[in-house]
Amino acid sequence: TAIVRIFRERKNKEAVESLFGKFVSPQVLKQILESPDKLIQNNKRKEMTVLFSDIRNFTSMSETISPEILIPQINEYFNEVVDIILENKGTMDKFIGDAVMAFWGDPLPVENHEYMAVKTAVEILQKLEELNKKWTDEGKVNFKIGFGINSGEMIVGYMGSQKIVDYTVIGDNVNLASRLESLCKEYNAEIIISERIFEKTKELIDAEYIDEVLVKGKQKAVKIYRVKSLHKY
């Protein structure tokens, strides 16, 4: 009957909202809800971009600054970070302590996802500059952050136990992005991207070659690049 059909459609949309509501922007969620059946599928392998970022020297800060001051400050920072990720069509994956993980290309395709991830990192750095000025006036410590960005084939889907599940990406290309982020401190860089990201975005960004490094899990050395800015048009 019509009532049963309406009930099923509502339950279907509620399920999709429950699955994706906390990961994507309201605009993306609206698009998903218009055709939810297309998204209820098994884990899949696809071309995507992933970003990792963390706060430099956060462990030492957490040992010297009271939780009553540090936790509201990091939450203020996280609020801005998530807004910028979602505004740039990214999917918020998770917080890992003081680190952030996000990806582009699922649950909906994202055009120029490599560039959108780099743009996100640049805009977060710009916002952090504003926050640091405000925190200085408030007598609070400033944050320094680093980003690692890579793209390629990865597996995306819901992974975990029956009680706790993550909507996330896994694979060698995900691991490389994490390794690039960890190199930021060593190379005194704020945003390090892979050669693949550089080749896809070099007409749109100002970036320079840094080095060719052998990272854990890779047999062959990879070229890495420092992002300086976005091109203005």
Side-chain angles (χ1 to χ4, degrees):
T1 67
I3 292 174
V4 171
R5 188 179 71 251
I6 291 168
F7 175 77
R8 283 177 177 166
E9 287 175 356
R10 183 175 297 162
K11 293 294 284 184
N12 198 16
K13 288 190 175 184
E14 285 174 359
V16 172
E17 260 186 297
S18 174
L19 289 173
F20 291 101
K22 65 179 180 178
F23 301 110
V24 300
S25 69
Q27 293 84 358
V28 170
L29 183 61
K30 182 174 181 291
Q31 293 179 57
I32 293 171
L33 290 173
E34 288 172 359
S35 52
D37 291 338
K38 295 178 182 177
L39 297 160
I40 307 302
Q41 52 186 289
N42 293 327
N43 299 344
K44 55 218 173 210
R45 191 184 300 272
K46 61 195 296 191
E47 293 283 325
M48 298 171 62
T49 295
V50 63
L51 171 153
F52 284 88
S53 175
D54 81 349
I55 300 170
R56 297 284 166 257
N57 302 316
F58 186 78
T59 301
S60 60
M61 280 193 288
S62 66
E63 292 171 352
T64 57
I65 302 171
S66 72
E68 292 79 12
I69 293 174
L70 188 58
I71 296 303
Q73 185 176 356
I74 194 171
N75 285 340
E76 182 179 8
Y77 163 73
F78 280 154
N79 281 334
E80 299 290 354
V81 168
V82 171
D83 284 349
I84 293 169
I85 289 169
L86 300 184
E87 284 167 9
N88 283 290
K89 302 180 182 179
T91 299
M92 181 61 208
D93 188 319
K94 63 172 72 72
F95 300 110
I96 312 165
D98 63 300
V100 173
M101 179 181 175
F103 55 84
W104 281 256
D106 200 82
L108 295 180
V110 177
E111 191 175 348
N112 297 327
H113 51 84
E114 299 91 352
Y115 173 72
M116 296 304 288
V118 176
K119 179 173 177 283
T120 296
V122 171
E123 290 180 357
I124 289 172
L125 284 171
Q126 291 170 344
K127 176 56 69 174
L128 181 62
E129 189 175 350
E130 294 176 20
L131 287 173
N132 278 333
K133 288 177 182 176
K134 178 171 106 46
W135 291 335
T136 297
D137 292 340
E138 295 171 351
K140 295 177 181 176
V141 68
N142 283 191
F143 288 173
K144 289 183 179 179
I145 57 176
F147 294 89
I149 306 173
N150 183 42
S151 66
E153 191 176 80
M154 50 195 76
I155 295 171
V156 59
Y158 285 91
M159 300 166 209
S161 70
Q162 291 180 341
K163 293 181 179 178
I164 300 175
V165 179
D166 268 342
Y167 172 51
T168 190
V169 287
I170 59 171
D172 189 49
N173 283 309
V174 179
N175 296 338
L176 178 56
S178 178
R179 304 281 185 265
L180 297 182
E181 184 274 319
S182 67
L183 291 173
C184 285
K185 191 172 182 180
E186 181 179 339
Y187 286 93
N188 193 28
E190 293 175 313
I191 306 171
I192 292 182
I193 60 175
S194 64
E195 183 177 15
R196 185 182 179 97
I197 293 285
F198 175 75
E199 290 299 329
K200 291 282 188 178
T201 62
K202 61 186 177 183
E203 303 301 324
L204 301 170
I205 68 173
D206 182 12
E208 63 181 5
Y209 172 78
I210 304 177
D211 201 355
E212 195 164 340
V213 297
L214 190 62
V215 298
K216 186 178 177 182
K218 287 283 187 183
Q219 299 276 330
K220 186 179 175 184
V222 297
K223 293 179 180 178
I224 60 173
Y225 299 79
R226 175 192 289 110
V227 175
K228 296 192 284 186
S229 64
L230 306 177
H231 286 166
K232 291 185 171 65
Y233 295 95

